[in-house]
């Protein structure tokens, strides 16, 4: 139920941002993400992450971004 995403930007890469489709998540579950650099947290559904992807921007060449995530307990109301 927990994981991490580590993205690198190569020295010669002109690409600043991209959306990365994550796999093997549960479409109906909500996942909480934490940006390791800023401490910012947010939530997205497994369906969003597997279809639209996780948007990551890296402004400087030869830099990286690290995100931790975990699936949240079911919040079924029934």
């Amino acid at each position: 139920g927990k994981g991490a995403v580590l993205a690198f930007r190569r020295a010669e890469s002109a690409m600043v941002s991209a959306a990365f489709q994550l796999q093997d998540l549960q479409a109906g579950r909500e996942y909480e993400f934490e940006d390791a650099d800023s401490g910012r947290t947010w939530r997205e559904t497994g369906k969003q992450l597997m279809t639209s992807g996780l948007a990551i921007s890296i402004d400087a060449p030869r830099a990286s971004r690290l995100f931790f995530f975990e699936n949240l307990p079911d919040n079924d109301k029934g």
Side-chain angles (χ1 to χ4, degrees), residues 21-66:
Q21 293 174 324
L22 304 185
Q23 297 185 15
D24 296 327
L25 302 178
Q26 296 177 11
R29 298 294 295 262
E30 194 169 47
Y31 291 81
E32 183 171 73
F33 280 77
E34 179 183 354
D35 183 326
D37 294 314
S38 70
R40 182 178 79 91
T41 62
W42 72 97
R43 295 178 179 186
E44 295 192 43
T45 66
K47 182 177 180 179
Q48 289 172 302
L49 294 162
M50 292 187 295
T51 56
S52 300
L54 176 65
I56 299 176
S57 294
I58 304 176
D59 295 331
R62 298 188 60 149
S64 63
R65 300 288 306 274
L66 175 62

